[in-house]
Structures are given as structure tokens and as C-alpha cells.
Amino acid sequence: MRIRPAVTAVSLATALSVSIPAAAHAADRAGSADTTFSHVVVNGGKDLVLGLTTKKTVTITWTATDPDGIAASWAYLWHGPNTDDADGILPHYPSNGTCTVSATDPTTATCAVSFAVDAAKDLHRNAVAGTWQVLAGAQDGTDDWTEIDAAGTAHLKRLARATVNASPEPVRKGGTLTVTGRLTRANWESGGYTGYQGQRVELQFRKKGSSTYTTLKTVTTGSGGSLRTTTRARTDGYFRFRFAGTATTGQATAAGDYVDVR
């Protein structure tokens, strides 16, 4: 069911700030077809990567334009097949934000809304990891209003962790090193970190005294996210596993494990 936000008409003759009312579930478009939304950015364009207890303040910014001016505008995140059947909304109770309209261009407003996300309270299903949509809405100066369900996107991902251990230590030059580790990710349903199987992970090496890692090979995680491979010991340095991430899971890099080659 669509609920029109209640707003108070404001004068657009001078620069001003207006409160953004909380918005409810909405279909693709309603009311005036003249309002457009652009420059929609969530979290500064960065992925939202959340662990089990991550607390984060998220900001959505956008521009709303209408020939009759912008009296108010609002936005929030949703996930699911459509807004009527959304299985996730952030924030749960859309909060107020602000828009600023310039006296030199009363048809356009730059807007922002910020809200807190608490993974322990707000995320209980792994299925909501992935692409979320931004619903943006506005009311123009003549009291017509518009809401767009997919004005922008955001990527909400599960936090991943990687470990590494290279042995034996020390090792003879030219000898065989066995490098093991594990790739896990936050499981919002179980409340722990569980193995991420079937993922491609890079084994990288950094020579002692250097600041640059080089990829030696790619390894695929096994049962429980386990990692195991071998490589030749050529010089002192650090080994690590690096996971680039997926559409639902953030990237992860293990701390380098130093090996003394003799």
C-alpha cells in the first residue's frame, strides 16, 4: 500500500533547508511524472560490508529536480522482488533528512539522509546480501508527488575473513612449503562465521624488504572454506591469501605469514 508522505509547502525563492519526511512502501511511480532523480549515491559509493556486530552510519545522497521546484524529498533502501514484497528495508523506520534548494535554481534540490545500521539487530537472513534498491521520492511546489522504486542501487555484503599459515619454518632454500588457511564469512542466521566453499583465492608473496605482493597461484576453497597448496621456498618473505569478494561477500586478505628461508 502506498502512503503519501505528509509535508508542508515551502517557499523556494531563497536558499533553504527542508526536512525529508519518512516514506512508506511504494510502487514504481505515482503522481507527477515531471520529477527526476539523479546522482544517487549510497555510502559514498562503497559497498556496505557487515559482520555479525557491525554498527555503521549510512548516508544516501541524491539530486531531485522538478520544473515546479522541490518542496521535500526522501529516500531509503529496500531488498526483494518489489517494494510490496520487500524482505528488507533500511532503515526499518525511514528517518528524516534534509534537502537544500538554491535561490539560483529553484527547480533542483540536493538531498541527504543518514541512518544507523546495526548488523546484530537489522540483519537476520543471509539471503538479503547482494544488491539493494534505493527508493527516492519527492513532492514538488504544486503538491504533486513522485516515488521511484529503483532510483539507485547499493551493495550490502557479508564480511569475510581469511587466515594463512606457511610451514615448515624455517625452510631450506628450494624446499617445499605447505600453505594452509581458511576463508569464512559472517553468517547472520547462525550468529557465527562459517566456511565459504568453492571460492577462488589468490596465494600471494611479498619479498622481505618489499612493499608489494605478487600473486603466485589461485587456489579454490574446499570443505568448510579450507585452503591448502604448496609452493617453493626461494627467499625470505611473507605469504598471504587474498579473496576478491563476490556479489554477496566482501573481500578478505590474510595477514602475511613470514617464512625464514635458509
Side-chain angles (χ1 to χ4, degrees), residues 161-192:
R161 293 175 173 175
T163 61
V164 66
N165 180 61
S167 63
E169 301 176 59
V171 63
R172 287 177 178 268
K173 185 174 183 179
T176 299
L177 279 169
T178 299
V179 187
T180 60
R182 190 173 182 226
L183 177 66
T184 60
R185 59 177 176 167
N187 188 321
W188 298 326
E189 296 173 7
S190 70

Side-chain angles (χ1 to χ4, degrees), residues 157 200-202 242-246 249-253:
K157 299 184 177 184
R200 293 170 61 83
V201 178
E202 295 175 341
R242 181 183 180 277
F243 172 59
T246 64
T249 305
Q251 66 178 18
T253 303

Side-chain angles (χ1 to χ4, degrees), residues 42 93 147 240 242:
V42 180
Y93 303 99
E147 281 186 336
R240 73 180 186 183
R242 181 183 180 277

Side-chain angles (χ1 to χ4, degrees), residues 15-260:
L16 51 86
S17 293
V18 295
S19 294
I20 302 177
H25 296 264
D28 285 342
R29 183 178 286 272
S32 168
D34 293 332
T35 304
T36 60
F37 302 94
S38 61
H39 303 97
V40 180
V41 178
V42 180
N43 194 42
K46 299 178 181 179
D47 293 343
L48 298 171
V49 183
L50 306 175
L52 301 177
T53 59
T54 306
K55 295 181 179 180
K56 184 175 182 62
T57 298
V58 179
T59 299
I60 306 174
T61 58
W62 68 99
T63 300
T65 303
D66 190 283
D68 295 313
I70 300 296
S73 191
W74 53 93
Y76 63 85
L77 301 177
W78 65 274
H79 180 273
N82 53 64
T83 52
D84 289 332
D85 300 309
D87 57 10
I89 291 178
L90 291 174
H92 294 314
Y93 303 99
S95 57
N96 291 337
T98 58
C99 286
T100 300
V101 181
S102 172
T104 61
D105 183 10
T107 68
T108 300
T110 55
C111 305
V113 61
S114 296
F115 52 91
V117 176
D118 184 339
K121 296 179 179 179
D122 298 332
L123 302 173
H124 303 289
R125 298 178 63 246
N126 295 326
V128 300
T131 300
W132 286 55
Q133 303 294 331
V134 179
L135 180 145
Q139 179 173 314
D140 70 15
T142 65
D143 204 33
D144 284 333
W145 63 288
T146 301
E147 281 186 336
I148 302 295
D149 286 357
T153 59
H155 302 286
L156 191 153
K157 299 184 177 184
R158 298 160 64 178
L159 179 69
R161 293 175 173 175
T163 61
V164 66
N165 180 61
S167 63
E169 301 176 59
V171 63
R172 287 177 178 268
K173 185 174 183 179
T176 299
L177 279 169
T178 299
V179 187
T180 60
R182 190 173 182 226
L183 177 66
T184 60
R185 59 177 176 167
N187 188 321
W188 298 326
E189 296 173 7
S190 70
Y193 282 83
T194 52
Y196 199 8
Q197 185 174 348
Q199 302 305 307
R200 293 170 61 83
V201 178
E202 295 175 341
L203 173 64
Q204 297 185 327
F205 176 74
R206 175 169 66 88
K207 184 178 179 180
K208 180 180 178 181
S210 171
S211 60
T212 303
Y213 274 93
T214 301
T215 298
L216 301 178
K217 62 173 67 177
T218 299
V219 185
T220 300
T221 56
S223 177
S226 62
L227 287 159
R228 185 182 181 87
T229 189
T230 59
T231 188
R232 291 291 181 186
R234 303 187 186 282
T235 187
D236 295 351
Y238 301 82
F239 291 87
R240 73 180 186 183
F241 284 118
R242 181 183 180 277
F243 172 59
T246 64
T248 61
T249 305
Q251 66 178 18
T253 303
D257 183 25
Y258 182 74
V259 174
D260 178 16

